[in-house]
Every structure is written in C-alpha cells, then in structure tokens.
C-alpha cells in the first residue's frame, strides 16, 4: 500500500469522489440539503493498492487557518483493513506540513462508522460551521495537531 499526493484533476481521484457521493446519496436517502460544493483548492492523497487508487481524502484551508479534511472515502472492497485510519493520519500530516495546527471535518449523522473512526482518532465534536450550518444532518469534529518534538 502506498499513500501519495494527487492533483484534484486526477481521474482516479475524480472517480473516487463520484463513488463517495453516490454512496452518500444512498446512505442518506436523498436528504434535502445534502449538496456537495466542489473546491479546486483541496490537496488530495490517494491510497494505492496494486497500482489502483482505492481510497482518497483531501485537506482544504479554512478561513480561520485550520485545515478541513474533505472527501474521505475507501472503496467498499478495501474496508476493514485499517486504510481509513492510515489515510486520516497521512491527511493530518499533510495539514500540518501546510501550516495547519488544527483540523476540522464534517460527516453525516447517518454515518456511524465514520463518526466512530473520527472519535477513536481523537476528534472531538464541535458546533457545525461554514456551509454545514443549515444542514440538520451534519456533525462536525476537530482535532488539535501535536507539534513534533
């Protein structure tokens, strides 16, 4: 397994984001307000297994200087192998390298596995922010990144 940076225009990243959005629509039952705003300024990482990107995630800068974890997704056939946890750690490192000392993220109330991952990795609930404020299905989390010794 390899975790590498990819541009937002990478076709494998695009395919993973489309798969993520499709799966979210199935999970949320087409809930109102579930609109994804696409940003070109997300720095993406891809998890590559046997030459194929099987997971992705990105970091986007927020106005307050924090980084936001975006588009975390692992293809279903690759779940249960610890890939999401390793990807999240790599995304935190990427955020730190770009000057963020705190990372935030949003997920849906209907995604208990995602919520479990984030809380088990040290993320704490925070009030919804930004584009998620009016979405009753959004829950947000944050984590302060430790400064390396």
């Amino acid at each position: 397994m390899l975790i590498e940076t990819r541009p937002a225009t990478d076709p494998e990243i695009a395919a993973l984001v489309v798969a993520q959005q499709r799966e979210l629509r199935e999970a949320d039952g087409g809930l109102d307000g579930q609109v994804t705003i696409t940003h070109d300024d997300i720095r993406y990482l891809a998890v590559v297994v046997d030459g194929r990107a099987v997971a992705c995630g990105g970091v986007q800068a927020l106005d307050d200087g924090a980084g936001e974890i975006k588009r975390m997704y692992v293809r279903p056939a690759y779940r249960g192998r610890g890939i999401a946890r390793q990807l999240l750690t790599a995304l935190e490192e990427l955020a730190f390298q770009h000057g963020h000392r705190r990372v935030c993220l949003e997920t849906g109330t209907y995604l208990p596995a995602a919520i479990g991952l984030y809380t088990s990795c040290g993320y704490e609930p925070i009030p919804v922010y930004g584009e998620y404020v009016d979405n009753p299905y959004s829950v947000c989390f944050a984590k302060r990144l430790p400064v390396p010794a």
Side-chain angles (χ1 to χ4, degrees):
M1 181 180 87
L2 171 70
I3 299 177
E4 61 186 21
T5 59
R6 295 274 182 100
T9 56
D10 181 87
E12 285 189 299
I13 292 292
L16 287 165
V17 169
V18 166
Q20 178 216 31
Q21 293 303 299
R22 185 178 307 118
E23 191 171 321
L24 286 175
R25 294 302 69 82
E26 291 170 5
D28 72 18
L31 296 170
D32 289 339
Q34 300 299 303
V35 176
T36 297
I37 299 172
T38 303
H39 303 278
D40 294 333
D41 58 345
I42 298 174
R43 293 179 179 93
Y44 280 99
L45 295 179
V47 176
V48 180
V49 175
D50 296 328
R52 177 179 183 226
V54 300
C56 70
V59 176
Q60 179 181 25
L62 293 175
D63 290 340
D64 67 357
E68 182 178 17
I69 305 293
K70 306 283 281 183
R71 311 290 185 269
M72 278 276 301
Y73 182 71
V74 178
R75 288 195 182 278
Y78 292 87
R79 292 180 187 162
R81 302 180 190 189
I83 290 174
R85 189 172 300 276
Q86 291 177 57
L87 175 59
L88 187 57
T89 299
L91 288 165
E92 291 170 359
E93 290 173 12
L94 179 65
F96 189 85
Q97 290 168 4
H98 284 91
H100 306 298
R101 298 303 174 257
R102 182 167 144 307
V103 287
C104 303
L105 59 85
E106 180 272 349
T107 191
T109 56
Y110 48 86
L111 297 171
I115 292 169
L117 169 68
Y118 299 136
T119 57
S120 73
C121 288
Y123 285 78
E124 296 183 356
I126 60 170
V128 292
Y129 60 90
E131 65 194 80
Y132 314 113
V133 169
D134 293 326
N135 186 334
Y137 307 103
S138 288
V139 289
C140 295
F141 296 88
K143 179 180 182 179
R144 184 144 311 275
L145 298 176
V147 177

